[in-house]
């Protein structure tokens, strides 16, 4: 005989679906955040590589155009060179990497120790 409010059959199924939905939503949000963190690290690594490559070209260690070799280094590390500035023997670069919801940028500078230019 059903209680005063009727049968409670199927209540656990509704609760299980709600819990599964919450877990799926949390997993999707976590994947997006982790994707952004990975893109940030990729951008930082690519910026460092590009700045070091440009500084090597400026110093004469590598016979190449500093900004051209910085672009190549950034692209080989999964980024796009946004800016390349040369000041004496130092190079400053900025790169961008596509992330799940936005574009992540990073900057780096390389040159001889103590150079303030």
């Amino acid at each position: 005989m059903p209680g005063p409010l009727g049968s409670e059959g199927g209540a656990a199924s509704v609760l299980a679906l709600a819990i599964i939905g919450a877990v799926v939503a949390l997993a999707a949000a976590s994947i997006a955040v982790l994707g952004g963190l990975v893109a940030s690290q990729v951008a930082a690594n690519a910026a460092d590589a590009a700045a070091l490559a440009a500084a090597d070209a400026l110093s004469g260690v590598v016979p190449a155009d500093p900004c051209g070799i910085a672009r190549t280094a950034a692209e080989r590390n999964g980024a796009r060179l946004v800016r390349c500035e040369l000041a004496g023997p130092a190079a400053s670069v900025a790169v961008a990497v596509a992330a799940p919801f936005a574009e992540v940028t990073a900057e780096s500078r390389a040159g001889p120790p103590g150079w303030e230019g």
Side-chain angles (χ1 to χ4, degrees):
M1 173 181 230
L5 297 177
S7 173
E8 293 182 8
S13 298
V14 172
L15 181 60
L17 284 175
I19 291 172
I20 290 170
V23 168
V24 168
L26 182 62
S30 297
I31 288 170
V33 169
L34 292 175
L37 292 174
V38 168
S40 174
Q41 191 61 49
V42 167
N45 291 342
D48 289 345
L52 288 169
D56 282 348
L58 279 173
S59 70
V61 173
V62 178
D65 168 50
C67 289
I69 199 166
R71 176 172 283 106
T72 301
E75 289 171 355
R76 287 185 180 175
N77 283 281
R80 178 177 52 87
L81 186 68
V82 175
R83 178 177 50 83
C84 178
E85 295 176 357
L86 309 174
S92 296
V93 299
V95 300
V97 173
F101 295 111
E103 191 171 70
V104 177
T105 61
E107 297 182 4
S108 187
R109 182 176 178 279
W115 176 260
E116 297 294 328

